[in-house]
Amino acid sequence: MEFYFIQIGLALMLAFVTYSLSNKINRSANRYLAILFGFISLLFTLPLIGEYFFEEWFGVDIVLESIIFLIPSFLYLSVYHFVNRPNYFLKKHYLLFIPFIMVVMVWMFLNSTETNRLFLENSFETFDAFLIIALFLFSVIIFYYVIKMLIKHKKNVLKLHSNKQGVNLNWLYNLILVFPLLLIIHLVFEISSEENYFVYFSNFMLFIILFYSGYHILQQREVFDLTPRQKFQFVNEPLQKVSFQKEELIDKNLVLEIANELEKLMEEEQPFLNKNLSLSTLSDKLNTRTHILSFVINTNYNVNFYTYVNKFRLNYSKSLLKNPKKQHLSMEGVAYESGFGSKSTFNTLFKKHIGMTPLQFKNNENQ
């Protein structure tokens, strides 16, 4: 019982924290995520309410079953807004709530008369099994589309950011993959006739999942860090005009002009030293559109934004490793001064592009 109260408190705290963050970063995504955590806390609260205030438990149980159908829906909405530029609630998103509405309507019908309530009470196990199967199928469909969005997002991050930490959404990807594992474990417990132990196991796992989510939510950065000018453009221009497609015709002279300005900016102002440099920030400095700058980088240098920026950081780090006045810096210090988000990223990219570790490079230069 005490463990239930801890989970309720943790879920409510996450809902509050996530909603508070929505005023600062990832506005729509965090709000949908906050609602999701709110429903999770409700799933823990309703059984306690039903136990103490309702004599007919099956009614509360059906309410629980209907609320569960909202969790995959709000997970989808949250991920959708994490991986897409600021957008409105689309008409197709109403389809996400059809299973919930159908369950509520059936529940209301079965509780509308004494005869129907008696039928529900006698057939509760069958009805409950049907809901579990429906929830499973609905969740599988949602998880498929969510994972598909996240895989696509992993590729798009390299086009938009120079530092993947906090924007690649790996934590959400890992979190979603946990649920099929829990289902398999649940089936194992049922086959072994030890289903009751799964209740304790699932409660413990959910406790870990909530902590894991909370940690990464606090680490999450703005995925689309639009400047005030870019936000104004998105709000005041038709959505179809704001496009990332390379097929849009761009004047070759304009491409060459932007490429020259870009080289000059990178050499003189060294914006790559900012570990959170994004395509949006850089395009704003050049007074151009993000899709045009992305096109310029892709066509002129045959690399994505992530690789382009980190090549400047690698060259800068090499100069630090060679500089006698910077020999006191640790490898972590060199990484951060060069604009990398972490030492591990620095080491990985350095070895990939230079052919040796930063320490080996430093030792070779000092011989």
Side-chain angles (χ1 to χ4, degrees):
M1 184 67 70
E2 291 180 359
F3 195 68
Y4 254 63
F5 284 115
I6 293 173
Q7 288 178 320
I8 293 170
L10 184 58
L12 284 174
M13 182 183 69
L14 275 179
F16 175 77
V17 169
T18 308
Y19 186 80
S20 299
L21 286 174
S22 69
N23 295 321
K24 301 176 182 178
I25 59 172
N26 303 311
R27 182 184 179 90
S28 297
N30 275 333
R31 289 195 174 178
Y32 285 121
L33 202 58
I35 294 172
L36 187 150
F37 287 129
F39 281 126
I40 290 176
S41 67
L42 201 59
L43 290 178
F44 289 116
T45 307
L46 282 179
L48 297 178
I49 295 174
E51 184 177 347
Y52 288 104
F53 297 100
F54 292 93
E55 294 180 2
E56 297 179 343
W57 166 250
F58 67 90
V60 177
D61 206 19
I62 296 299
V63 175
L64 281 171
E65 295 287 356
S66 60
I67 289 175
I68 289 174
F69 277 86
L70 289 173
I71 292 179
S73 303
F74 280 97
L75 175 64
Y76 178 93
L77 288 171
S78 180
V79 173
Y80 176 84
H81 285 86
F82 266 126
V83 304
N84 289 282
R85 288 213 166 211
N87 206 340
Y88 300 103
F89 188 92
L90 303 180
K91 289 182 179 179
K92 66 178 182 180
H93 291 158
Y94 286 110
L95 297 174
L96 295 168
F97 299 98
I98 290 178
F100 167 75
I101 293 171
M102 291 179 65
V103 171
V104 170
M105 290 177 66
V106 170
W107 172 73
M108 290 177 65
F109 172 75
L110 292 175
N111 280 274
S112 59
T113 65
E114 189 64 35
T115 304
N116 290 346
R117 281 195 294 270
L118 184 61
F119 171 78
L120 174 60
E121 189 173 3
N122 294 332
S123 309
F124 179 74
E125 289 186 4
T126 303
F127 187 66
D128 188 51
F130 173 78
L131 286 178
I132 291 173
I133 294 171
L135 177 63
F136 172 76
L137 294 175
F138 179 54
S139 299
V140 167
I141 295 171
I142 294 297
F143 286 172
Y144 168 77
Y145 284 106
V146 165
I147 290 174
K148 190 176 178 180
M149 284 192 292
L150 289 173
I151 290 173
K152 185 179 179 181
H153 177 72
K154 283 185 175 183
K155 298 177 182 178
N156 289 337
V157 161
L158 302 179
K159 302 175 185 177
L160 301 172
H161 291 275
S162 62
N163 174 20
K164 296 183 289 183
Q165 288 180 312
V167 292
N168 56 16
L169 300 176
N170 280 345
W171 67 277
L172 266 173
Y173 185 81
N174 296 334
L175 205 60
I176 289 166
L177 292 179
V178 167
F179 288 99
L181 179 62
L182 284 175
L183 178 63
I184 293 171
I185 295 172
H186 188 187
L187 293 174
V188 170
F189 273 107
E190 280 196 342
I191 294 171
S192 62
S193 302
E194 297 290 348
E195 188 178 357
N196 290 334
Y197 288 105
F198 179 74
V199 175
Y200 300 107
F201 175 78
S202 60
N203 284 337
F204 175 75
M205 285 301 298
L206 186 57
F207 187 74
I208 298 298
I209 287 170
L210 290 174
F211 259 110
Y212 178 83
S213 302
Y215 172 79
H216 287 282
I217 286 169
L218 293 174
Q219 302 295 319
Q220 185 69 49
R221 288 161 46 205
E222 178 68 67
V223 177
F224 299 101
D225 55 340
L226 303 180
T227 62
R229 180 174 68 87
Q230 291 167 336
K231 287 180 180 177
F232 179 82
Q233 290 172 345
F234 272 99
V235 170
N236 292 278
E237 294 184 9
L239 190 62
Q240 61 267 25
K241 289 186 179 180
V242 184
S243 172
F244 282 91
Q245 296 181 357
K246 295 180 181 179
E247 289 77 12
E248 182 178 337
L249 294 177
I250 302 175
D251 184 72
K252 291 183 179 179
N253 293 327
L254 176 62
V255 171
L256 184 60
E257 180 184 342
I258 293 175
N260 291 332
E261 290 179 1
L262 176 61
E263 287 293 323
K264 184 179 178 181
L265 177 69
M266 297 297 279
E267 290 176 6
E268 294 180 359
E269 296 187 22
Q270 298 180 322
F272 55 86
L273 296 181
N274 173 12
K275 69 174 184 177
N276 293 328
L277 179 67
S278 66
L279 184 69
S280 296
T281 306
L282 199 58
S283 64
D284 200 53
K285 285 180 178 291
L286 293 168
N287 198 30
T288 187
R289 289 296 188 88
T290 53
H291 69 280
I292 295 178
L293 179 57
S294 180
F295 179 82
V296 169
I297 293 173
N298 292 341
T299 54
N300 272 37
Y301 307 101
N302 199 31
V303 294
N304 54 41
F305 177 73
Y306 179 82
T307 303
Y308 175 76
V309 173
N310 281 301
K311 281 188 174 181
F312 281 91
R313 290 172 176 166
L314 287 172
N315 289 332
Y316 189 84
S317 68
K318 285 164 65 178
S319 67
L320 290 180
L321 293 169
K322 293 177 182 178
N323 192 342
K325 296 181 180 179
K326 298 290 184 177
Q327 295 303 301
H328 65 282
L329 288 175
S330 64
M331 291 301 107
E332 191 172 15
V334 172
Y336 290 142
E337 281 210 16
S338 302
F340 290 98
S342 68
K343 181 183 174 182
S344 60
T345 302
F346 170 52
N347 286 334
T348 302
L349 291 177
F350 198 98
K351 188 170 185 179
K352 179 182 178 181
H353 293 282
I354 311 301
M356 63 182 76
T357 65
L359 185 59
Q360 289 172 335
F361 180 87
K362 183 178 181 179
N363 292 335
N364 287 344
E365 291 295 321
N366 292 333
Q367 285 180 356

